[in-house]
Amino acid sequence: MLALRLSRGAHPAVQLRRLLVAVASAGTGFLLLCTLGYAMSHPDNAGGSLLRLAWCLTPLAATVHFAVAVARTDPGTRPRPGLAAIGLGPARLMAVSALTTALSCVLGSMLALLFFLHLRGDLTGMPFDGAASQFLAADSPLPLPAALTLLSLVPAIASATVALVLRPRDLHRPQPRALGRAYGRFGAYTRPNDRETFGAYGRFGARLRRTEPDPTPTEPAGSRAAGAAPVPQRGGPPQARASEPTPTASSDSTTETPDTPTPSQPTTPPRSATAGLPWGIAILAAGLAVEAYASRTTPTPRLALPGGVTTGTPAILTGFALAALGLALAAPGLTHLCGRLLQSARPGALRLLAGRVLMEESTRIGRPLGIVCAVAAGAYAMTALYDTGGPDFGPLTTLGTLLVTGCTVATLLTAAVEAKHARAETTAALVRLGAPATMLRSAAAIRAGALLALFVPLTLVVAELAALPLTR
């Protein structure tokens, strides 16, 4: 009930994204039902049915990825102060987000089932003069348990993935002290190196013993004779005792200094965006090498995708999949490198701002951008197959291509919206400091132009190299 109330009271832009998730779920469910219809009308061709079912994994993965991106940008399930007091903690909000995603996917699956039954003629008669009966098995009764099982794949996988991605993190996990400011007791900026027992902080001179050497037996006697030491001020530096000399500049190097962040030191431990760059390049090179080697070996029987498009051997398809995976893995590191290049050669304020934002958002933007590049490379390969005299694309192939392309592009745009919301405070601070709006728009244009200048030629080169074995 809470998920339904949050869905009804959401912003129109949020409702539009949920509607797009429902449309993507409907398209994927319709492809799965068409696979069931093909298996019913061709009971002797089990291999072809399994191939069509495996071909549906790509639209399924694209739909789930888009559903996760929409759930991450949903403001209704974002943790807010005070919600935990009424029982809406991080775990409850994660469950609400997963349930909202499941509701959107179930709506799309029901639409797919109604459209499939309409094309079969089970509702109002056979439409389109029975042109779609060849892959819908209109002359056979539809097994309802099998259809519901296939339709439940998208809601189940999408909601489980959303719950896994948005699960509450362990807030009590110790963080490394080297990165960021280390907070001590009651908000102090220092932290003792040794563990203290209960009540040790309240003892007289306890803070002074951390920075001073152990006193000799003669020192306590002298200090008692000299009188009581002054009480140090709260929040200020520890004061010297009456019997001790005033510390000089040479003795300041032995005292513990507050761990304050510097301009070159990040306040939070950043996640390395370039960690997947060498792996992505290696997998991309391995995929292209597998394709080149498989195209020179003895020809083997080729596989045919639904719609009549004849592709290559299983080895060539494996190499192409590896190349696409490597391109997707290397994209965050390339985005980070692009932001670093923008700041080279004496950058001004505009290029410095654009480069810093790209480096900060390289992981959030780079992953969906890499998937878009991989999909574009696959679309280029299919276009090359079409230009070499291959058969026309069938309706299911066209639907699957549009579905995968639309989901990946929508995921990239959703990630851009999430990045914009993440840096809203920074943008507001720049505006308060007097930064003009044209400067912010120019920085966004520079970021988009730099990404296009890097990824468009890279995608074309990878697509051309990956499509060469397929056209032979």
Side-chain angles (χ1 to χ4, degrees):
M1 184 62 66
L2 178 60
L4 289 176
R5 289 180 178 271
L6 291 176
S7 300
R8 290 176 53 190
H11 194 269
V14 180
Q15 299 285 16
L16 178 61
R17 290 195 291 266
R18 292 172 180 170
L19 182 61
L20 291 178
V21 171
V23 171
S25 177
T28 305
F30 182 77
L31 290 177
L32 292 172
L33 291 178
C34 291
T35 302
L36 176 62
Y38 181 85
M40 293 169 54
S41 59
H42 301 79
D44 299 332
N45 190 8
S49 302
L50 290 178
L51 181 60
R52 287 172 176 264
L53 185 61
W55 181 77
C56 292
L57 293 179
T58 303
L60 177 61
T63 303
V64 171
H65 191 209
F66 178 49
V68 171
V70 170
R72 288 172 60 93
T73 57
D74 192 354
T77 57
R78 192 172 300 169
R80 297 184 183 91
L83 290 182
I86 60 175
L88 293 179
R92 183 74 179 275
L93 290 177
M94 177 268 296
V96 170
S97 182
L99 184 57
T100 305
T101 304
L103 289 176
S104 301
C105 294
V106 165
L107 176 61
S109 298
M110 293 298 102
L111 292 177
L113 180 60
L114 290 177
F115 188 67
F116 184 78
L117 294 177
H118 174 68
L119 292 181
R120 279 173 50 91
D122 296 337
L123 298 180
T124 58
M126 183 68 65
F128 305 114
D129 297 331
S133 60
Q134 57 180 350
F135 57 88
L136 299 180
D139 53 348
S140 302
L142 180 65
L144 190 59
L148 294 180
T149 301
L150 290 177
L151 290 176
S152 64
L153 290 179
V154 179
I157 297 177
S159 59
T161 307
V162 168
L164 181 63
V165 172
L166 302 182
R167 69 186 186 278
R169 301 300 193 271
D170 188 9
L171 301 179
H172 302 286
R173 183 179 302 173
Q175 299 293 337
R177 187 187 173 189
L179 298 176
R181 177 178 294 179
Y183 292 92
R185 296 174 182 263
F186 306 104
Y189 293 138
T190 56
R191 181 178 294 175
N193 295 328
D194 52 345
R195 295 178 61 89
E196 297 177 348
T197 59
F198 178 77
Y201 188 81
R203 297 195 188 104
F204 179 77
R207 294 181 61 187
L208 300 175
R209 296 192 187 99
R210 300 195 201 111
T211 59
E212 299 174 0
D214 294 336
T216 58
T218 59
E219 289 180 356
S223 63
R224 286 193 298 268
V231 179
Q233 297 181 0
R234 185 175 183 180
Q239 300 179 2
R241 300 179 183 178
S243 60
E244 294 179 355
T246 303
T248 59
S250 60
S251 64
D252 290 343
S253 59
T254 60
T255 59
E256 185 177 1
T257 59
D259 190 10
T260 57
T262 60
S264 60
Q265 179 182 359
T267 57
T268 56
R271 187 175 183 178
S272 178
T274 59
L277 182 59
W279 289 100
I281 295 176
I283 294 176
L284 175 61
L288 296 177
V290 168
E291 281 194 89
Y293 178 77
S295 63
R296 296 178 180 273
T297 55
T298 304
T300 56
R302 292 175 174 263
L303 297 177
L305 289 177
V309 179
T310 302
T311 61
T313 62
I316 292 179
L317 292 179
T318 302
F320 184 79
L322 288 177
L325 178 62
L327 186 59
L329 288 178
L334 293 176
T335 306
H336 189 276
L337 180 62
C338 185
R340 187 173 292 274
L341 290 177
L342 278 178
Q343 305 175 63
S344 60
R346 295 185 178 182
L350 192 59
R351 284 200 295 137
L352 186 62
L353 177 61
R356 288 288 184 178
V357 172
L358 271 185
M359 292 176 61
E360 184 69 22
E361 300 173 354
S362 56
T363 302
R364 185 181 288 110
I365 297 295
R367 289 181 178 177
L369 183 58
I371 295 176
V372 169
C373 293
V375 172
Y380 181 85
M382 295 182 67
T383 306
L385 288 175
Y386 179 76
D387 292 339
T388 54
D392 296 336
F393 291 163
L396 296 183
T397 305
T398 304
L399 176 61
T401 304
L402 292 177
L403 182 61
V404 172
T405 305
C407 285
T408 51
V409 173
T411 303
L412 178 59
L413 296 178
T414 306
V417 172
E418 181 186 3
K420 181 180 179 181
H421 291 167
R423 64 174 186 270
E425 297 182 359
T426 304
T427 304
L430 290 175
V431 171
R432 286 195 303 267
L433 290 175
T438 56
M439 180 181 178
L440 301 178
R441 289 193 293 266
S442 300
I446 289 177
R447 292 195 301 269
L451 291 178
L452 289 176
L454 176 64
F455 281 96
V456 169
L458 177 63
T459 304
L460 291 178
V461 170
V462 173
E464 185 67 29
L465 293 177
L468 283 178
L470 299 176
T471 55
R472 294 182 180 179

